[in-house]
Amino acid sequence: MLELERVAGYLLPWEFSPSWVLFCLVAAAVYLRGMQRQRHQGQRVGYWRPFAFLLGVGAIYAVTQTHYDYLSQYMFFTHRAQHLVLHHAAPFLIALAAPLPVLAAGMQSRLRQLPGRAAAGRVISPLYRLLQHPVIAPLLFVGLIYFWLIPEVHFDAMLSHRLYQIMNWSMLLDGLLFWWLVLDPRTPKQGGLGYGARILALLVVIPPQILLGAYLTFSENVLFDVYAVCGRAWPISPLTDQQLGGLITWIPASMMSVIGVLLVIRYILSEKGDVDGGKTAHERRVPQP
């Protein structure tokens, strides 16, 4: 009984946040409703895309609304793992699932026909296009990591509930924008970013993350004294904590970009295969002289 209570305690929010809970529950509910509607309409719904989407949403909930959030506030390396999920892994999975058609099917028709929807689109579209520019997106992706790890900024963010929430939300939203840009299932002819630009964007963000991670790992000075002020959740040395955080910033974050490049190459080969297959079928239909 005590073990069950302890497990339940780890699953409960450390600091309940209506915004995070609402985001995760609404996203999952709308997606599941969209899947159900598509099935009723006879559309084929696979398994791996829903799995990727729901796993991504579940990972966001796990690092923001369970006891893990406590660890992320009192250990540097668990904080870096939290941002690895919010900025890299979860948005990667959500973008890979290509969920927009399913989410659109799951939305209430009244919401899709709101009178101010067109006006809001005209206001948001220019900002969205700016943030999705192939030069701006990688700069913002790396820049936010650096910004929140400026020691003075990090100190204030970890001691302010408002700044802490802004930091985490900014990482998630920027991650969603970046990974959607490079993993967009649309081909360039359909309005997606060119494949070369996607690969370049993924490669450009690797060196700054490696440099930052290596600096944190090999620094002989403790850069983030906020964890000494608040106390660490586990009794490990400050430098060890910082080194572990540096490795998380360095290796898995960079590997995510490498995986992204491989997926874009797969997109290219898949599109080429479709084109070649179409040509072959056409050639079979056209009599040869």
Side-chain angles (χ1 to χ4, degrees), residues 182-200:
V182 297
L183 297 180
D184 188 349
R186 296 177 301 168
T187 67
K189 292 181 180 179
Q190 295 171 332
L193 184 65
Y195 294 130
R198 300 188 199 201
I199 292 175
L200 183 60

Side-chain angles (χ1 to χ4, degrees), residues 109-172:
S109 58
R110 287 174 296 178
L111 294 177
R112 288 182 285 178
Q113 297 173 359
L114 288 175
R117 186 168 175 264
R122 286 194 295 269
V123 174
I124 295 174
S125 290
L127 177 61
Y128 178 78
R129 287 195 297 269
L130 174 65
L131 295 177
Q132 293 295 79
H133 190 279
V135 175
I136 300 297
L139 287 175
L140 187 60
F141 186 77
V142 173
L144 270 181
I145 301 174
Y146 273 75
F147 174 75
W148 291 115
L149 286 178
I150 296 172
E152 295 79 11
V153 174
H154 191 77
F155 187 95
D156 292 340
M158 298 306 292
L159 291 181
S160 167
H161 180 267
R162 182 178 64 87
L163 282 178
Y164 180 76
Q165 295 298 327
I166 291 174
M167 173 178 64
N168 285 348
W169 273 109
S170 69
M171 296 298 281
L172 174 63

Side-chain angles (χ1 to χ4, degrees), residues 222-264:
V222 177
L223 303 173
F224 306 101
D225 51 1
V226 64
Y227 300 95
V229 173
C230 300
R232 285 179 166 78
W234 294 326
I236 65 175
S237 72
L239 270 180
T240 300
D241 187 15
Q242 185 170 291
Q243 288 166 353
L244 292 172
L247 289 173
I248 291 171
T249 305
W250 177 357
I251 299 174
S254 301
M255 287 303 299
M256 292 291 296
S257 292
V258 174
I259 295 172
V261 170
L262 295 176
L263 284 171
V264 174

Side-chain angles (χ1 to χ4, degrees), residues 1-287:
M1 188 66 179
L2 291 176
E3 289 297 325
L4 289 176
E5 291 179 359
R6 183 177 299 178
V7 171
Y10 284 121
L11 295 178
L12 292 175
W14 167 246
E15 290 181 346
F16 178 76
S17 171
S19 59
W20 286 108
V21 172
L22 189 64
F23 172 83
C24 293
L25 292 182
V26 169
V30 171
Y31 190 87
L32 291 173
R33 179 174 181 161
M35 285 180 58
Q36 185 180 29
R37 285 184 171 178
Q38 287 188 335
R39 284 200 177 102
H40 286 165
Q41 294 170 1
Q43 299 182 36
R44 184 176 178 273
V45 179
Y47 294 98
W48 75 265
R49 289 187 188 276
F51 175 76
F53 180 83
L54 295 174
L55 181 61
V57 173
I60 294 169
Y61 185 90
V63 298
T64 60
Q65 287 301 289
T66 66
H67 189 75
Y68 187 88
D69 190 43
Y70 162 78
L71 297 176
S72 70
Q73 294 184 46
Y74 287 91
M75 297 291 293
F76 179 69
F77 85 90
T78 51
H79 165 77
R80 293 309 306 145
Q82 180 191 49
H83 277 195
L84 180 68
V85 171
L86 292 177
H87 199 226
H88 288 71
F92 178 93
L93 289 168
I94 291 172
L96 189 61
L100 292 187
V102 183
L103 292 173
M107 290 178 61
Q108 290 281 0
S109 58
R110 287 174 296 178
L111 294 177
R112 288 182 285 178
Q113 297 173 359
L114 288 175
R117 186 168 175 264
R122 286 194 295 269
V123 174
I124 295 174
S125 290
L127 177 61
Y128 178 78
R129 287 195 297 269
L130 174 65
L131 295 177
Q132 293 295 79
H133 190 279
V135 175
I136 300 297
L139 287 175
L140 187 60
F141 186 77
V142 173
L144 270 181
I145 301 174
Y146 273 75
F147 174 75
W148 291 115
L149 286 178
I150 296 172
E152 295 79 11
V153 174
H154 191 77
F155 187 95
D156 292 340
M158 298 306 292
L159 291 181
S160 167
H161 180 267
R162 182 178 64 87
L163 282 178
Y164 180 76
Q165 295 298 327
I166 291 174
M167 173 178 64
N168 285 348
W169 273 109
S170 69
M171 296 298 281
L172 174 63
L173 295 176
D174 179 58
L176 289 170
L177 287 170
F178 179 79
W179 290 109
W180 177 256
L181 178 67
V182 297
L183 297 180
D184 188 349
R186 296 177 301 168
T187 67
K189 292 181 180 179
Q190 295 171 332
L193 184 65
Y195 294 130
R198 300 188 199 201
I199 292 175
L200 183 60
L202 287 163
L203 294 178
V204 161
V205 301
I206 293 177
Q209 293 182 90
I210 291 176
L211 289 174
L212 179 59
Y215 175 70
L216 295 174
T217 301
F218 297 116
S219 178
E220 297 180 355
N221 300 315
V222 177
L223 303 173
F224 306 101
D225 51 1
V226 64
Y227 300 95
V229 173
C230 300
R232 285 179 166 78
W234 294 326
I236 65 175
S237 72
L239 270 180
T240 300
D241 187 15
Q242 185 170 291
Q243 288 166 353
L244 292 172
L247 289 173
I248 291 171
T249 305
W250 177 357
I251 299 174
S254 301
M255 287 303 299
M256 292 291 296
S257 292
V258 174
I259 295 172
V261 170
L262 295 176
L263 284 171
V264 174
I265 292 174
R266 185 177 180 275
Y267 288 175
I268 297 172
L269 296 176
S270 177
E271 183 179 354
K272 185 176 183 298
D274 292 341
V275 171
D276 291 345
K279 285 182 179 178
T280 302
H282 177 70
E283 289 169 355
R284 284 198 300 267
R285 289 193 299 267
V286 177

